[in-house]
Structures are given as structure tokens and as C-alpha cells.
């Protein structure tokens, strides 16, 4: 989507409001509630911004109307239409609304897809990766094969030759690839060519892809636009996507993500599951997602603009105060992946928390055994981001 950021233009008038610290502690009981009063949180993926007015208004209306019962369990409907409209406007991707199936959250959607669609065989996971997805292979009784990024590589890329060996029946024997697109914490918005390369390997090996696209609305200025995996030719039969408005609109607690199935057989297999497997999404989550997808574009444009500024600010702050840090180019998400090994601290997140009083996410949670890395959430105010970096300097003893 192209946005008008000229002074006085539509988006310049949209206010992205920073939460005060008191507001943030009340609004975000996980991110702010799980730290002591003197600690600044920059760990879990939630944003210190007030809810988008379009979403807040829709929720207030729904609560006022008493919409606190079960959701409408019929599939497709307004939520499917809303996501299809969003995908068309933002990604030029045509989605059949009937193939948009609510699930409680993205993690559950990935688990559902694995359970219902995938063979009882190893699963490929990209590392570093989102921790609950790291454990999902085991949770579903499968072996995990790790497709790692070399921490010394300049750019985080999918190693397709290794992937091919992992999918080789005479090699790793994996039958499913868990793709994260855009990638947390690699910060990558994969190009169409990269994804086509992945597709070609997967098709040759007759494997499946589950594409976690929760960060799709969060591609930052100057980066390759998001390419939905399902928008590539020849993917409908072997892939599903799991999408959500929750990361971009800060509504994770409302419990509603969407599984997108582009071919009829896949859709029917997912729809046929017993209720006990997939009946936990909430009607308020449906309301929030529908409002975000339908009326959230102006706020989202302001958000993405701000996150781009925060990324640039972080780059400057690190250059000035922690110049030995290696920050992966942040093309998408608000989660910067920082290599702090030059500072010689085994567990920098623990030391920054203890001595600097800022909570970052430890890199080893995303890549077991990896030392000296942290993930830093930049979705806050510029002032708070500067203070977090100051606390990192104190914590690292630089
Ligand atoms: C890549 C990725 N997938 C899934 C999730 C979690 O989504 P949910 O809370 O809907 O399970 C996150 C949360 O940050 C994430 O970064």
C-alpha cells in the first residue's frame, strides 16, 4: 500500500499515541507486569502504543452490546471477507474468504495444521526462531531438524541445499517446513525469488509448508514487500498460512488468528476436525481482527512509519554508544536481533537486566546454545528506546 506521508497528508494527521508508563503497566500485564517497577521492558512482542481507534471503537461497541458469548462458529463470513480485502490491498494477493478459518492463536494454528495435515515425520524449523514454535515439533510427537543461520553470516538466508538434504528421504526425512515469513527474529522480509527457491525444493521433495505470517503487516520502509507464500504459483496443494492482525494491532490477548487454506481438499480436512481441536477463538478477537483488517490501514501506515524511525534511531544509538554491536538489518517486525558477542558477556540479557534494569529477550531462547545475542523490541517511544540503550551500556559495563 502506498501511503501519503506529506505534511498535512492523511497519515500525518493520524496519531499513534505512546502509552505512558502507568498506562503501559495497566494495558500490558505480560510485557510490563512481569518486570519490577525500576525495569524497562523490551522483551515480549507487544507494543507500547494505544490501541488503534478503529479497533478500540469496534471492541467498545461489541462489549456494550454484550458480545461475550461464544463466537459464530460458521466459517468464512465477515472475518474471511475482511482478511481477503486486507490481503488484496496490502499484498496484491487474492484469497477466497471461505478458506479463512479462525483459530485461537497463531501457535495453535500451526499446531493444528501439523496435527491434521502433516505426516508423522520430522519437521524443519528455522533457527533462531520463535520459542513456542521451536517446541511445537516435539509437542506434536515429531522430531525437529534445525535449519540454522550462521551467526557470523552478514544476511540471514534460507540455506536451500541443507533444506534439500533435510527433506531427502535418504537424509533427514523431514516432511514439513515451518516457515516464518517475515521472520522473527531474523528480521527478514523474504523476497519472492527466495520463496520460489524454497517452493521448488519443497515441491521436488513432495513436502509441506506451514507459513507463519503473523508479522506480514509489519514490513518496514525500504524493505522488500511481503510476499505471501500462498501467492506463489503451485503452493495451494502443499501449504497453509497462519495469519493474524494481533501482532500489528497489539491484540494478542483477544485470541483470534486465522488459518488460510487455499485449496478445497486442505480446507475440508481442517474444517472436518472435531470441535475439541479448534473451538477456542473469541468473538471479541473476531471483532478486533475484522476492524483491523477493514478500517486499520491509516493507523497501520502511521505505525509502520514510526517503527521505521525507531529502527533508524536504534541503529544510530548503537553506532554511538555500543559500536561493537552487530544488528541484523531489520526489514520487518519490531524485533531487532543484536549480536553482542564483542562485549564478551555470556548471557547479556541477564546481565543487562541485573545491572542495567532493562529486560531484553535472551538470544538462547531463540537459538538454544547460542551465546551473546539478544532480541530488542523497538515498539516504544524514542525516549524510552534511548533509555533502553543507555541501560544496555550500563548493563554491559561499557
Ligand atoms: C513468528 C511468531 N509466530 C507466532 C507468534 C505468537 O502468536 P500467537 O500469540 O498468536 O500464538 C509470535 C509472537 O510474537 C511470533 O513472533
Amino acid at each position: 500500500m502506498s501511503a501519503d506521508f506529506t505534511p498535512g497528508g492523511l497519515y500525518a494527521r493520524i496519531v499513534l499515541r505512546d502509552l505512558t508508563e502507568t498506562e503501559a503497566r495497566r494495558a500490558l500485564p505480560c510485557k510490563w507486569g512481569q518486570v519490577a517497577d525500576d525495569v524497562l521492558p523490551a522483551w515480549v512482542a507487544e507494543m507500547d502504543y494505544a490501541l488503534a481507534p478503529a479497533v478500540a471503537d469496534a471492541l467498545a461497541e461489541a462489549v456494550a452490546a454484550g458480545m461475550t458469548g461464544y463466537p459464530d462458529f460458521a466459517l468464512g463470513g465477515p472475518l474471511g471477507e475482511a482478511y481477503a480485502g486486507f490481503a488484496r490491498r496490502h499484498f496484491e494477493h487474492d484469497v477466497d474468504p471461505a478458506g479463512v478459518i479462525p483459530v485461537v492463536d497463531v501457535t495453535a494454528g500451526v499446531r493444528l495444521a501439523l496435527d491434521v495435515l502433516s505426516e508423522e515425520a520430522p519437521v524443519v524449523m528455522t533457527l533462531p526462531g520463535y520459542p513456542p514454535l521451536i517446541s511445537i515439533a516435539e509437542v506434536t510427537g515429531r522430531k525437529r531438524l534445525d535449519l540454522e543461520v550462521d551467526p557470523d553470516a552478514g544476511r540471514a538466508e534460507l540455506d536451500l541445499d541443507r533444506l534439500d538434504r533435510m527433506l531427502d528421504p535418504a537424509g533427514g526425512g523431514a516432511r514439513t517446513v515451518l516457515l516464518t515469513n517475515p521472520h522473527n527474529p531474523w528480521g527478514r522480509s523474504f523476497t519472492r525469488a527466495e520463496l520460489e527457491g524454497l517452493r521448488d525444493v519443497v515441491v521436488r521433495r513432495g513436502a509441506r509448508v506451514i507459513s507463519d505470517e503473523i508479522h506480514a503487516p509489519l514490513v518496514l520502509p525500504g524493505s522488500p514487500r511481503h510476499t505471501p507464500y500462498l501467492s506463489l504459483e503451485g503452493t495451494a496443494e502443499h501449504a497453509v498460512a497462519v495469519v493474524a492482525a494481533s501482532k500489528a494491532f497489539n491484540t494478542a490477548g483477544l485470541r483470534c488468528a486465522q488459518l488460510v487454506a487455499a485449496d478445497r481438499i486442505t480446507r475440508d480436512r481442517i474444517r472436518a476436525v472435531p470441535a475439541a481441536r479448534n473451538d477456542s477463538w473469541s468473538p471479541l478477537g473476531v471483532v478486533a481482527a475484522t476492524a483491523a483488517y477493514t478500517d486499520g490501514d491509516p493507523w497501520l501506515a502511521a505505525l509502520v512509519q514510526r517503527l521505521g524511525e525507531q529502527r533508524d534511531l536504534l541503529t544510530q544509538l548503537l553506532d554511538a554508544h555500543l559500536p561493537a554491536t552487530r544488528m541484523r538489518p531489520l526489514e520487518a517486525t519490531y524485533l531487532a536481533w543484536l549480536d553482542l558477542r564483542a562485549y564478551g558477556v555470556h548471557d547479556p540479557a541477564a546481565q543487562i537486566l541485573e545491572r542495567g534494569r532493562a529486560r531484553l529477550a535472551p538470544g538462547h531462547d531463540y537459538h538454544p546454545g547460542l551465546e551473546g545475542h539478544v532480541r530488542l523490541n523497538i515498539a516504544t517511544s524514542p525516549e524510552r528506546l534511548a533509555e533502553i540503550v543507555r541501560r544496555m551500556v550500563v548493563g554491559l559495563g561499557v
Side-chain angles (χ1 to χ4, degrees):
M1 190 189 66
S2 71
D4 170 14
F5 291 125
T6 55
L10 174 61
Y11 298 113
R13 294 199 302 275
I14 303 293
V15 177
L16 180 82
R17 194 173 72 73
D18 292 277
L19 296 174
T20 65
E21 200 165 316
T22 309
E23 287 174 331
R25 282 191 196 280
R26 178 126 194 262
L28 303 170
C30 179
K31 183 181 185 186
W32 282 81
Q34 291 187 31
V35 295
D37 284 352
D38 67 335
V39 170
L40 270 185
W43 59 295
V44 67
E46 297 190 295
M47 305 187 288
D48 300 341
Y49 307 130
L51 208 49
V55 175
D57 291 350
L59 286 168
E61 226 173 83
V63 172
M67 194 194 283
T68 54
Y70 292 119
D72 174 0
F73 287 113
L75 305 179
L79 175 60
E81 296 285 350
Y83 179 69
F86 187 85
R88 199 174 310 115
R89 293 195 306 282
H90 289 261
F91 317 133
E92 290 173 18
H93 176 39
D94 281 327
V95 171
D96 178 355
V100 178
I101 302 167
V103 288
V104 59
D105 60 20
V106 168
T107 309
V110 172
R111 202 170 58 231
L112 177 69
L114 260 178
D115 278 339
V116 175
L117 303 173
S118 290
E119 290 170 50
E120 300 284 339
V123 173
V124 177
M125 174 68 195
T126 54
L127 286 190
Y130 177 63
L133 293 184
I134 295 178
S135 59
I136 216 162
E138 190 190 344
V139 165
T140 67
R142 292 171 173 84
K143 184 176 171 199
R144 191 186 81 225
L145 300 183
D146 296 334
L147 188 63
E148 295 155 346
V149 164
D150 177 352
D152 293 315
R155 185 175 160 89
E157 288 175 351
L158 296 161
D159 182 341
L160 297 181
D161 292 334
R162 269 196 74 202
L163 177 66
D164 189 49
R165 291 194 292 278
M166 289 173 169
L167 297 178
D168 183 348
R175 303 295 292 149
T176 306
V177 180
L178 293 188
L179 173 66
T180 307
N181 172 40
H183 202 286
N184 164 29
W186 296 7
R188 289 291 322 280
S189 174
F190 295 114
T191 62
R192 179 167 285 270
E194 286 177 290
L195 294 170
E196 284 172 347
L198 170 70
R199 176 208 52 199
D200 293 347
V201 173
V202 168
V203 168
R204 192 168 62 245
R205 292 294 184 190
R208 281 204 156 270
V209 169
I210 302 172
S211 187
D212 170 352
E213 305 196 358
I214 192 171
H215 293 282
L218 295 170
V219 174
L220 304 185
S223 306
R225 66 181 294 175
H226 172 65
T227 301
Y229 186 75
L230 285 173
S231 70
L232 305 183
E233 220 177 292
T235 53
E237 303 75 24
H238 72 254
V240 292
V242 190
V243 303
S246 58
K247 208 50 47 187
F249 288 88
N250 238 16
T251 54
L254 291 170
R255 321 312 282 155
C256 177
Q258 301 85 44
L259 192 150
V260 183
D263 90 320
R264 181 168 294 279
I265 295 172
T266 310
R267 186 185 310 172
D268 290 347
R269 285 176 72 189
I270 297 282
R271 285 179 154 183
V273 300
R277 262 200 195 281
N278 184 36
D279 69 346
S280 304
W281 69 92
S282 116
L284 293 178
V286 173
V287 166
T290 305
Y293 288 142
T294 309
D295 300 316
D297 286 3
W299 187 87
L300 180 61
L303 172 71
V304 167
Q305 184 186 20
R306 163 69 82 86
L307 294 177
E309 290 163 6
Q310 291 290 96
R311 170 194 57 189
D312 298 345
L313 175 62
L314 178 62
T315 308
Q316 289 162 19
L317 288 166
L318 293 174
D319 279 352
H321 304 292
L322 289 171
T325 306
R326 287 178 64 233
M327 171 171 155
R328 281 207 183 285
L330 193 61
E331 298 172 347
T333 83
Y334 46 80
L335 307 160
W337 185 250
L338 307 181
D339 175 355
L340 299 172
R341 285 175 296 174
Y343 294 102
V345 177
H346 158 73
D347 185 354
Q351 194 169 307
I352 290 165
L353 177 59
E354 192 189 314
R355 301 187 191 168
R357 312 307 285 158
R359 180 166 176 185
L360 279 58
H364 53 77
D365 281 358
Y366 300 79
H367 191 158
L370 182 69
E371 292 183 4
H373 288 70
V374 295
R375 196 193 71 171
L376 193 164
N377 179 343
I378 63 170
T380 190
S381 66
E383 296 76 19
R384 242 180 245 135
L385 184 58
E387 177 59 17
I388 289 163
V389 173
R390 195 191 67 75
R391 291 177 184 217
M392 288 174 68
V393 172
V394 172
L396 293 170
V398 176

